[in-house]
Amino acid sequence: MNKPKVGIIGLTGCSGDQLVILNCEDQLLDLVGAIDIRDFLTATSANDTESRLDVAFVEGSVVSQKDEDLLRRVRERCTILVALGTCAVWGGIPTMDRDQDRPALLRAVYGDLNWEYDTCPAKALHEVVKVDLNLPGCPIEKDQFLATVANLLNGNLPLLPDYAVCTECKMKENNCLLIEKKQVCLGPVSVAGCQARCPSLNIPCVGCRGPCTDANLKSAAATYAENGVAMEDVIRKMKTFAPVPVSEQP
Amino acid sequence: MTQTIKIDHLARVEGHGGITVNLEGNAVKEVRFDIYEGARLIEALVVGRSWEDVPQIVSRICAICSAAHNLTAIKAIEDAFGVQVTPQTRALRDLLYRGESIESHALHVFLLAAPDYLGYPSAIALAADKPEAVKLGLRLKKLGNTIQEVIGGRAVHPVNSVVGGFGATPTFEQLFALRRDLQQGLSDCEAMVEVLATLPPADFCHTPTVFAALDTAGDYGYYEGNTLRLTTGKSLAASKYRKLTNEMAVPHSHAKHSHYDHKPFMVGSLARVMLFGEKLTEKAQAAARKLGLTLPSDNPMDNNKAQAVELLFDVEYALETVEGMLREKVKPETPVEIKPKAGTGTAATEAPRGTLFHSYTFDKQGKVTAADVITPTAQNLACCEYHFRAAVDQDPEKNPAVLAKHLEMIARAYDPCISCSVHLVVSR
């Protein structure tokens, strides 16, 4: 059997999801044996940027024409496009610019630009091209990435959790930070898959994996209200990692 | 005759950048380190946010340096609010910072830099011929990640470190397991020195260089301290960082550059070893000798050697810290209470790639009104171009393929983190 041809490509972002791939230290050499990595600029200087790819993993969000052009080229040359990480899936931290005056933000950071600077409001991959699979997380979880590769090698798509972080938190028998400590925890409205990492360390969930599309928003809103947590704090916090549409706000 | 050497996409670095050198005859006309990374405007986006949200948001500036950004923001916020943390918190932060440095250096030395010396395009290709060397690097990299997972709760973008302390204290069992990993790590470090000592020399850029680093006051470290030192003998307070990082528009380049006393300066492992190398253990100093790292250094390629020396030292230091914690039993602590107040807080720390500055101004509710982040790579760009120029000048043959390889190796020796650097660097 021919090994599937794979590209690991970064748009604008922190490279955290590519770093998680490199952090699979125990599996890395098996991984590069099982797939044919054609294009991985962060790890190698021998890249083939033209040939067909069976799978392209794309990290980061689109914040420039250059990003958008690259993403369209990748879409054309790949069969399965996987959005890798919350920036790719939802837009991530850069989309905090959604309700703000972007030219003013640019001036605030860079001063007055006297030249044409390639920049545009931050977008998720699905806002530009068709995405076949979403792997959220800021960064992605190692085991979910490896499970995804294993499933793709067998011709399947992976089963990823679509329930809320609260489900995993209850399984770990943690004390509830929202109900018992009245903290702004996004567990009820954020998608699971992290084994409730933060609440397990007494840290409220910041929603870095993005919203849970299967959340019971009415019940979450009632629970926040009962515990004296202001809804505007919840929404502001949710919008840190994803420009959550109103239909997915509690 | 004019000639251009252009590297469009610099591989094996974090983020997107390129190199351009224009020659006229044998004279270097222009040298540019181009940055293609898009603008994410993180400093503008934290304005209006509560102090509590800041360390998690700014850690996303960069993944490899995420603990550095997170902890430096915490140090700046604590400076603004006058927070005093417990000795245990200080020790755990020191350990977390070293964990990141171990991971970052192992990744850079073995997976990014080493393939150049041996003529391979990547560590993946290198692994086919020298699997043991790559596995050794991966084990050390994993050790750094394990420290970050145990102390920070996650290897990339730590969650457990917060203003005032930690969400949860690591357990005795976790630290006991970490001790075993560190013991293995120490023998791996000795093997690392043996392996790296066999690499061919990289002798194509020698020029007097100014180095700068944070004086971490006590032991050789990365987190504490507030005074910056330069190899010119000058010092300045971290709160006056703008004097050091003053962004100068330079005519030959698109980027604003950092100069001090009109000279570019280099930050990072080599700068730290240059300024504070006498604080290293005998074992680490012996490793430096074995690797042929002679001080004072005039070769930016020595940064790779300095990283290896720091890696060994940090494993030794972390092992001692963990053994101390096991002896004295870590006790569960909760973060100290925070009372926000209006004012500015500034912090400098030594990130794996060099001195990192964070400065925030808050209103009396503790909401950010101004934020400024200056990264090591941004400070290094001017010096990196200075070294590019020297390498081209010093090459008698000016063979474009050889020069391109040397320029890439110099860029990579700086271990640039381009995601980080875009704060003050804009490509035309």
Side-chain angles (χ1 to χ4, degrees):
Chain A
M1 193 187 87
N2 285 336
K3 288 196 259 180
K5 297 177 180 59
V6 173
I8 299 168
I9 289 137
L11 305 180
T12 295
C14 73
S15 307
D17 305 303
Q18 295 177 72
L19 186 59
V20 169
I21 296 174
L22 296 175
N23 282 354
C24 299
E25 290 99 354
D26 293 338
Q27 299 86 8
L28 199 59
L29 295 182
D30 290 338
L31 186 71
V32 300
I35 58 178
D36 177 7
I37 298 183
R38 288 297 178 103
D39 195 352
F40 190 5
L41 191 65
T42 304
T44 172
S45 40
N47 291 298
D48 162 7
T49 57
E50 301 298 328
S51 69
R52 283 291 307 167
L53 296 172
D54 294 302
V55 185
F57 292 96
V58 182
E59 158 169 31
S61 48
V62 176
V63 305
S64 66
Q65 191 60 45
K66 196 178 162 74
D67 284 337
E68 190 165 333
D69 295 345
L70 173 59
L71 177 58
R72 288 188 195 281
R73 279 203 306 281
V74 170
R75 176 68 275 186
E76 278 169 23
R77 66 188 277 230
C78 76
T79 307
I80 296 173
L81 192 148
V82 184
L84 200 63
T86 299
C87 282
V89 175
W90 289 100
I93 291 259
T95 52
M96 277 196 285
D97 69 356
R98 280 289 153 98
D99 309 323
Q100 302 193 44
D101 175 359
R102 190 167 166 97
L105 297 177
L106 266 168
R107 274 197 303 279
V109 176
Y110 295 106
D112 280 315
L113 298 174
N114 297 323
W115 55 77
E116 196 73 11
Y117 182 49
D118 179 15
T119 177
C120 63
K123 289 191 284 261
L125 305 192
H126 73 85
E127 295 173 275
V128 180
V129 296
K130 176 174 167 273
V131 172
D132 301 299
L133 177 67
N134 286 312
L135 213 54
C138 189
I140 54 166
E141 296 291 331
K142 228 189 238 188
D143 57 352
Q144 283 178 6
F145 171 74
L146 292 169
T148 299
V149 174
N151 274 283
L152 290 173
L153 281 170
N154 287 297
N156 301 322
L157 287 176
L159 270 179
L160 299 170
D162 57 359
Y163 40 82
V165 171
C166 283
T167 309
E168 290 178 341
C169 201
K170 293 289 164 288
M171 300 278 274
K172 293 188 87 173
E173 304 185 348
N174 293 328
N175 292 332
C176 182
L177 297 172
L178 169 58
I179 294 171
E180 291 176 34
K181 293 196 175 158
K182 315 299 175 199
Q183 291 181 342
V184 191
C185 182
L186 295 189
V189 291
S190 301
V191 74
C194 55
Q195 304 304 319
R197 173 181 282 110
C198 295
S200 304
L201 295 164
N202 310 312
I203 305 283
C205 171
V206 297
C208 75
R209 299 178 54 75
C212 167
T213 46
D214 200 39
N216 184 341
L217 298 173
K218 234 176 168 173
S219 159
T223 310
Y224 284 123
E226 274 164 33
N227 289 284
V229 170
M231 204 50 72
E232 62 186 72
D233 287 340
V234 174
I235 308 288
R236 177 179 48 85
K237 222 170 160 179
M238 284 181 86
K239 285 185 164 183
T240 304
F241 288 92
V244 187
V246 176
S247 60
E248 280 164 33
Q249 293 174 9
Chain B
M1 194 192 86
T2 59
Q3 183 182 322
T4 299
I5 299 164
K6 195 164 166 56
I7 297 152
D8 283 325
H9 296 282
L10 194 53
R12 279 180 278 130
V13 301
E14 212 263 6
H16 305 285
I19 301 169
T20 305
V21 174
N22 288 316
L23 288 162
E24 215 166 271
N26 268 347
V28 183
K29 295 308 276 184
E30 191 191 24
V31 179
R32 287 204 322 263
F33 195 158
D34 297 306
I35 302 298
Y36 307 130
E37 197 77 24
R40 289 177 296 160
L41 309 176
I42 288 173
E43 291 149 288
L45 293 171
V46 297
V47 170
R49 300 293 300 239
S50 165
W51 60 273
E52 287 171 284
D53 301 339
V54 173
Q56 275 289 323
I57 295 174
V58 297
S59 110
R60 268 71 187 186
I61 291 172
C62 165
I64 303 187
C65 333
S66 56
H69 281 291
N70 174 273
L71 288 171
T72 310
I74 288 171
K75 185 174 170 182
I77 296 166
E78 290 176 353
D79 180 51
F81 299 160
V83 178
Q84 294 296 327
V85 297
T86 65
Q88 183 173 294
T89 289
R90 290 172 60 183
L92 288 170
R93 285 178 180 170
D94 180 275
L95 195 52
L96 174 57
Y97 219 119
R98 285 183 206 276
E100 174 174 82
S101 205
I102 292 167
E103 193 279 331
S104 179
H105 286 357
L107 170 71
H108 179 250
V109 170
F110 284 92
L111 303 191
L112 306 182
D116 282 327
Y117 287 81
L118 299 167
Y120 289 85
S122 70
I124 299 167
L126 180 60
D129 294 341
K130 296 184 187 300
E132 290 315 312
V134 175
K135 282 183 192 160
L136 175 67
L138 287 172
R139 273 206 303 280
L140 284 166
K141 185 170 132 31
K142 186 181 177 189
L143 172 64
N145 279 334
T146 305
I147 297 173
Q148 295 188 83
E149 280 161 11
V150 169
I151 314 295
R154 183 161 64 189
V156 178
H157 302 314
V159 299
N160 193 30
S161 44
V162 294
V163 180
F166 284 88
T169 312
T171 62
F172 185 88
E173 290 71 22
Q174 282 177 305
L175 291 170
F176 193 73
L178 189 54
R179 173 173 168 260
R180 194 194 49 218
D181 293 341
L182 283 161
Q183 285 168 335
Q184 169 67 40
L186 201 51
S187 65
D188 282 343
C189 280
E190 284 159 13
M192 165 190 74
V193 175
E194 298 298 325
V195 170
L196 297 179
T198 64
L199 292 181
D203 270 324
F204 41 77
C205 179
H206 291 273
T207 184
T209 304
V210 175
F211 296 94
L214 174 72
D215 187 341
T216 49
D219 295 339
Y220 189 104
Y222 308 108
Y223 193 60
E224 309 253 342
N226 293 302
T227 306
L228 305 162
R229 308 250 186 243
L230 287 101
T231 45
T232 57
K234 296 210 174 173
S235 298
L236 81 162
S239 58
K240 303 268 188 282
Y241 70 101
R242 276 280 173 186
K243 280 196 173 153
L244 184 72
T245 63
N246 62 340
E247 303 140 53
M248 258 174 52
V250 285
H252 72 271
S253 169
H254 60 284
K256 288 179 170 180
H257 281 177
S258 289
H259 288 76
Y260 192 67
D261 283 348
H262 308 291
K263 282 199 181 110
F265 56 89
M266 185 173 182
V267 297
S269 295
L270 184 57
R272 292 189 288 260
V273 171
M274 278 287 294
L275 282 151
F276 307 112
E278 81 282 359
K279 291 184 184 179
L280 293 167
T281 53
E282 181 41 44
K283 202 177 227 172
Q285 295 195 26
R289 285 192 294 275
K290 182 136 199 179
L291 293 172
L293 175 58
T294 45
L295 302 179
S297 167
D298 65 352
N299 181 356
M301 297 305 298
D302 284 345
N303 197 48
N304 293 330
K305 296 176 182 175
Q307 285 195 344
V309 171
E310 282 191 335
L311 210 163
L312 181 143
F313 175 79
D314 286 334
V315 172
E316 273 188 286
Y317 197 96
L319 178 58
E320 211 170 285
T321 303
V322 168
E323 287 185 333
M325 285 176 176
L326 288 169
R327 268 195 310 276
E328 299 180 14
K329 306 273 190 291
V330 284
K331 55 180 192 303
E333 282 182 348
T334 51
V336 298
E337 206 191 322
I338 308 300
K339 294 193 187 79
K341 62 179 185 191
T344 297
T346 300
T349 67
E350 281 296 320
R353 286 155 191 75
T355 320
L356 170 64
F357 300 98
H358 279 226
S359 182
Y360 302 94
T361 304
F362 296 96
D363 66 13
K364 61 180 191 294
Q365 279 86 43
K367 287 208 161 76
V368 178
T369 59
D372 189 26
V373 173
I374 300 207
T375 64
T377 298
Q379 294 165 71
N380 270 337
L381 281 170
C383 203
C384 195
E385 289 186 356
Y386 166 74
H387 284 136
F388 287 163
R389 185 176 282 270
V392 178
D393 274 339
Q394 287 167 20
D395 191 310
E397 308 194 346
K398 310 266 190 284
N399 174 322
V402 173
L403 279 178
K405 179 169 186 194
H406 288 171
L407 293 174
E408 275 202 61
M409 285 179 76
I410 292 172
R412 218 166 272 132
Y414 271 86
D415 195 3
C417 185
I418 297 171
S419 306
C420 273
S421 75
V422 282
H423 152 76
L424 35 99
V425 184
V426 180
S427 183
R428 245 186 252 257

